[in-house]
Amino acid sequence: MAGTDLMTVRENADIKIIDVMTDLSSYAALDLRKILEDLLLEKVDKVVVNFSEVNHINSTAVGTLVGIAKRLRQNGGDLKLCHLGPPLTRTFNLIGASSVVEIYETEKSALAAF
Amino acid sequence: MEKDYIEFKLPSNVCYIESVRVFIGKLSETLGFPKKRTADIQLALDEICSNAVNHGSMSTESGIKIQITVHKRFLELMVSDTGGKNTKNWFTPEKLAEIQARRTPEGEGGHGLYLIECLTDGHKLQANKYGGTDVTILFNRTNEVG
């Protein structure tokens, strides 16, 4: 299964969960994009990204998540995010992406939303 | 203290930006910026460095320059690139402004300059003599120390 030392992929039924364990500047965003695109190639259509270990995200990473969410929705699935701390929430809100991608407080609530 | 000056030169590769982001975070803490403002400074610098590498560099060897000036009343950061002329990703100051005008929350890109406007107390984009762009951002020091 796709993943790196700092981003692992696990599953819950037909939903893939990515645990991100590094701050997301442009370099790490490349890894996140690769993992998400690999899941798309595997025909996965339900994905949750858990940000509980992340304290920073830039607009490149946010743009990647927005783009992947749109592609998953075209396949009948979706991308849901959880455990965003205040710095990440601020970035999503400033960009306006929090109205484009669904954000949940907990992983449990994100999974239940599918 | 009148002002102190720090300068970095990095290869044009995004893998080096994270280290600079961590450095500016520690410096901002040292200067007494609150935690939330430190996060803003880190994000703004990340955005302009990413733009300089991705849209203002011909190759890794082009390099970018980061100048940090600690003034008594504000922190000034300037990132300079040499321009990516003839590369498909080259962004001039004018093109950056145009991209920002077309920005939507649903879009995958074009958010960097918008974030810089939101996060800083002042910013300036200027063409430089190397054919690239100098982006300067300012953060007011109000209750900070040093």
Side-chain angles (χ1 to χ4, degrees):
Chain A
M1 187 171 292
T4 68
D5 287 348
L6 298 173
M7 294 179 207
T8 58
V9 184
R10 56 195 164 91
E11 57 192 2
N12 182 312
D14 62 340
I15 305 170
K16 299 288 186 188
I17 304 159
I18 302 173
D19 293 302
V20 182
M21 291 161 283
T22 182
D23 288 346
L24 285 166
S25 292
S26 296
Y27 188 58
L30 294 173
D31 284 339
L32 180 61
R33 174 180 286 279
K34 172 82 169 59
I35 289 169
L36 288 163
E37 288 188 338
D38 284 349
L39 292 176
L40 277 163
L41 286 174
E42 292 170 23
K43 308 288 183 198
V44 170
D45 56 17
K46 295 175 187 168
V47 180
V48 169
V49 184
N50 187 322
F51 287 101
S52 60
E53 302 294 322
V54 183
N55 293 307
H56 169 84
I57 189 166
N58 74 1
S59 68
T60 304
V62 173
T64 295
L65 292 164
V66 166
I68 295 290
K70 288 194 285 193
R71 288 163 68 183
L72 287 169
R73 285 173 195 157
Q74 284 169 2
N75 298 340
D78 205 353
L79 174 76
K80 299 180 194 295
L81 314 179
C82 65
H83 287 293
L84 275 71
L88 273 68
T89 302
R90 176 163 160 78
T91 306
F92 271 83
N93 287 344
L94 284 172
I95 290 174
S98 39
S99 63
V100 183
V101 183
E102 290 182 30
I103 297 171
Y104 295 86
E105 279 191 23
T106 65
E107 184 179 304
K108 190 178 173 184
S109 57
L111 291 169
F114 279 107
Chain B
M1 179 189 78
E2 280 305 310
K3 61 181 179 182
D4 288 330
Y5 179 77
I6 302 162
E7 182 177 306
F8 289 101
K9 287 180 182 170
L10 305 181
S12 295
N13 187 320
V14 289
C15 74
Y16 297 106
I17 296 173
E18 180 64 9
S19 302
V20 176
R21 188 185 70 83
V22 171
F23 174 84
I24 199 66
K26 289 292 178 193
L27 178 65
S28 301
E29 280 177 18
T30 301
L31 295 174
F33 281 97
K35 196 173 176 182
K36 186 178 169 188
R37 203 63 183 137
T38 292
D40 290 348
I41 294 167
Q42 289 183 294
L43 178 55
L45 185 61
D46 183 347
E47 296 294 339
I48 55 175
C49 287
S50 295
N51 268 349
V53 169
N54 291 325
H55 307 298
S57 301
M58 296 274 279
S59 67
T60 304
E61 290 72 31
S62 302
I64 66 170
K65 187 164 76 175
I66 302 162
Q67 296 166 273
I68 302 166
T69 312
V70 182
H71 299 267
K72 189 174 180 183
R73 295 186 181 279
F74 58 94
L75 175 66
E76 176 183 6
L77 310 177
M78 183 166 89
V79 176
S80 304
D81 60 53
T82 53
K85 197 173 185 180
N86 300 327
T87 65
K88 65 175 181 164
N89 292 327
W90 186 35
F91 286 0
T92 59
E94 293 77 19
K95 191 169 177 185
L96 275 169
E98 185 188 319
I99 288 165
Q100 193 206 349
R102 291 201 311 264
R103 188 198 83 89
T104 67
E106 294 81 16
E108 287 187 50
H111 306 298
L113 189 56
Y114 173 74
L115 278 179
I116 290 162
E117 280 189 3
C118 294
L119 297 169
T120 66
D121 293 311
H123 75 283
K124 184 171 70 177
L125 278 78
Q126 204 167 26
N128 62 33
K129 63 181 178 183
Y130 306 106
T133 304
D134 294 338
V135 182
T136 305
I137 53 177
L138 304 175
F139 296 89
N140 292 334
R141 303 178 65 195
T142 48
N143 301 315
E144 291 78 28
V145 296

